[in-house]
Amino acid sequence: MTLAPVYDAFTGKRIELGDELRSIERGDVLRVVELGSDLCGEPTVRLDPVRSSAQPFKAALDRVGGRWYIHMYALA
């Protein structure tokens, strides 16, 4: 199965494993540590805070016009 690409909603660039993203709300930096898909075939993105002891978490994604975009984060 091919993974659906996920894009940065602000630049339109494709998100890749290892990319660093900046939170639009807080300004903290997170690293993309996992790209996958759920049982329905929708993409998933797991983020790990770079300068924090917080746990990795699943990013919120939005589907717009047939493309998936990461919600509230931009490429750093």
Side-chain angles (χ1 to χ4, degrees):
M1 172 167 59
T2 303
L3 295 176
V6 176
Y7 299 90
D8 172 358
F10 296 94
T11 66
K13 294 181 181 176
R14 187 173 176 169
I15 302 295
E16 301 288 342
L17 193 62
D19 281 348
E20 290 190 353
L21 307 174
R22 184 170 306 282
S23 167
I24 300 304
E25 293 177 321
R26 296 175 307 279
D28 52 336
V29 177
L30 300 108
R31 183 171 295 118
V32 177
V33 294
E34 181 183 303
L35 295 170
S37 63
D38 61 16
L39 292 175
C40 297
E42 294 182 356
T44 59
V45 177
R46 198 151 190 77
L47 302 174
D48 187 16
V50 173
R51 296 177 190 92
S52 169
S53 60
Q55 294 294 315
F57 63 94
K58 184 177 165 185
L61 304 177
D62 295 318
R63 187 172 183 160
V64 179
R67 291 176 88 177
W68 289 96
Y69 294 94
I70 195 160
H71 184 70
M72 297 306 295
Y73 294 92
L75 285 166

